[in-house]
Amino acid sequence: MKFVDEAKIRVQAGNGGRGCVSFRREKFVPFGGPDGGDGGNGGSVTLRAKDGINTLADFRIVRTFRAENGQPGGGRDMTGRGGGDSTIDVPAGTIVRESGTGEQLGDLTKAGMELMVARGGKGGWGNQRFKSSKNRSPRQYGPGLPGEARELELELKVIADVGLLGLPNAGKSTLISVVSAARPKIADYPFTTLYPNLGVIACGNQRSFVMADIPGLIEGAADGAGLGIRFLRHLQRTRVLLHLVDIAPVDPAADPVRDAQSIVGELGKFSEDLLAKPRWLVLNKSDLLPPDEAAAKAIAIALALDYRGPAFLISGVTRAGTTDLTEAVMRFLETNEAPAHGNLVLPEVKRPKARQATPAPRKPARHKAKAKATARKKAKAVKRKAPRKTSRKQKTRR
């Protein structure tokens, strides 16, 4: 099935049924009376997150969803039957927005969550509701209220714990195919991955996590180069990002350090929150170089990037180092504590101490003495201007 992560649909709730105008004729009741029942309420439209669905492709075929209308009321005070609700199953991780205003109506992150997007209309009153002491035989009735109608935009963000990040042909699809049962397309040309792939990585004893592989990024992706950055939103729900770097690129003009820095720059252009997520450095394709040379080159790349987090040296083809990587990720997801280092120990680099700011020069003592003298003169001037107080003797003489 084709992967689709955006769709537009129209939902229409059911209208309320109209009320009934009816009069009863009973034995021993000479004047009878109104007995028209109310109309039934219209059905509502609800979205429900469901497991087993990972695409919005079905909404490219059917785009309009309607609920049933309420039935009109009947005589003998019979209320009309309410319209049936319409429930639409969507994949977990779907964000619902109103098309006109862009307002977010809800985020269905877990299976079983429901969101009412269109409420059914209320049924109209029958004529027995309008009965009063002045109006004994009313012929009024309520027509029923119309149901809500909305244009909705659905956006899917896959639910994953770990996201893979890197250039095309960095080995992301190979890694997820090795550590999980996912089978993405793998080839020796760039952009073989055209849509996100999910894989469940089992670490034994009922311990597992979900990994997401998205199409590779290139420099200028934020401006539309390559496949752009539209798939980066699928990494916004992850808890940790694995940045894969090819330590032995085929292109002799390629620079792993420069390419890795460009990926981080594109990440920051898309979202500051995504840039702030924990990001681990995974140096891939160690099988293409001798062990000592691969380790030395991986350390040189990490130091050139000024990286201080956990680093892993792996090979997706030979599976070397992949167990260390998955176990470290599993422990981080369980304890929320990142390891001090990975299977690649980086040397400590002493950073120069920051220079302390030189204190401002103190003013000479003569400036303080001059300020004190000025303050004394002002105080004396204020005392001279103050009115003199008359004593009691002077008041009695007056």
Side-chain angles (χ1 to χ4, degrees):
M1 182 181 292
K2 184 178 179 181
F3 181 84
V4 178
D5 56 1
E6 290 180 347
K8 289 186 177 181
I9 62 173
R10 184 179 186 276
V11 293
Q12 173 66 62
N15 300 326
R18 62 175 178 81
C20 175
V21 176
S22 175
F23 295 91
R24 69 179 186 271
R25 295 290 184 268
E26 298 180 19
K27 192 177 182 180
F28 306 117
V29 180
F31 297 103
D35 65 346
D38 300 338
N41 296 330
S44 302
V45 181
T46 304
L47 300 182
R48 178 177 60 190
K50 185 179 180 181
D51 283 332
I53 308 175
N54 56 7
T55 178
L56 299 174
D58 293 340
F59 299 102
R60 293 293 180 95
I61 302 172
V62 181
R63 299 190 180 188
T64 303
F65 300 87
R66 300 178 182 273
E68 293 182 357
N69 296 329
Q71 298 298 319
R76 299 184 181 180
D77 200 14
M78 290 190 297
T79 303
R81 182 176 63 85
D85 297 334
S86 177
T87 303
I88 309 170
D89 292 331
V90 297
T94 301
I95 297 176
V96 185
R97 294 188 178 91
E98 192 163 5
S99 181
T101 61
E103 177 188 0
Q104 181 172 323
L105 303 180
D107 189 359
L108 305 176
T109 57
K110 296 181 181 179
M113 293 182 63
E114 293 185 353
L115 175 67
M116 182 184 294
V117 292
R119 188 180 298 276
K122 188 177 180 181
W125 283 357
N127 68 332
Q128 56 90 17
R129 293 269 195 171
F130 296 92
K131 179 179 62 176
S132 67
S133 59
K134 294 183 178 180
N135 189 3
R136 299 296 183 87
S137 57
R139 297 185 178 275
Q140 299 98 321
Y141 68 93
L145 300 179
E148 293 180 338
R150 277 179 170 174
E151 298 280 346
L152 301 179
E153 294 179 356
L154 306 182
E155 178 185 351
L156 175 61
K157 293 182 180 179
V158 297
I159 305 296
D161 303 305
V162 182
L164 299 181
L165 193 68
L167 287 173
N169 278 5
K172 303 184 298 298
S173 299
T174 302
L175 175 61
I176 197 173
S177 67
V178 166
V179 298
S180 71
R183 292 295 175 264
K185 184 179 180 180
I186 301 173
D188 58 352
Y189 55 86
F191 299 111
T192 54
T193 301
L194 300 177
Y195 53 86
N197 295 298
L198 296 180
V200 179
I201 290 84
C203 297
N205 195 16
Q206 297 183 352
R207 299 165 67 229
S208 63
F209 60 90
V210 180
M211 180 180 288
D213 169 30
I214 67 168
L217 299 176
I218 61 175
E219 188 174 0
D223 300 324
L227 294 178
I229 56 176
R230 59 185 297 263
F231 292 108
L232 275 178
R233 65 168 173 266
H234 296 288
L235 301 182
Q236 290 183 322
R237 300 186 190 275
T238 59
R239 295 176 55 186
V240 61
L241 300 176
L242 302 181
H243 188 172
L244 268 69
V245 178
D246 184 0
I247 65 172
V250 178
D251 186 4
D255 184 3
V257 177
R258 182 194 61 206
D259 295 337
Q261 290 173 345
S262 66
I263 294 298
V264 176
E266 298 299 327
L267 205 64
K269 291 179 182 178
F270 178 77
S271 171
E272 291 294 334
D273 296 336
L274 194 58
L275 184 62
K277 283 184 179 292
R279 188 172 63 256
W280 297 1
L281 185 63
V282 180
L283 300 143
N284 193 18
K285 301 186 181 181
S286 62
D287 59 297
L288 299 180
L289 298 174
D292 296 339
E293 184 180 349
K297 190 168 185 180
I299 292 175
I301 293 174
L303 294 179
L305 291 172
D306 196 21
Y307 179 74
R308 294 293 180 269
F312 295 85
L313 180 61
I314 68 167
S315 172
V317 175
T318 63
R319 304 189 180 188
T322 57
T323 302
D324 298 334
L325 176 61
T326 55
E327 286 293 338
V329 170
M330 190 73 250
R331 286 194 298 269
F332 171 75
L333 297 177
E334 291 174 343
T335 63
N336 205 24
E337 295 181 1
H341 55 79
N343 63 357
L344 182 66
V345 182
L346 303 178
E348 295 184 0
V349 179
K350 294 184 179 180
R351 298 182 178 180
K353 294 183 179 180
R355 294 182 180 180
Q356 296 182 354
T358 55
R362 295 183 178 180
K363 294 182 179 180
R366 65 174 182 270
H367 292 289
K368 292 184 178 180
K370 189 175 180 181
K372 289 181 179 179
T374 305
R376 289 195 205 101
K377 289 180 181 179
K378 289 182 179 180
K380 288 180 181 179
V382 172
K383 287 181 180 179
R384 289 172 187 170
K385 292 180 181 180
R388 297 177 63 184
K389 295 182 179 180
T390 56
S391 62
R392 290 183 179 179
K393 292 181 180 180
Q394 291 175 349
K395 288 181 179 180
T396 53
R397 289 177 183 175
R398 290 178 184 175

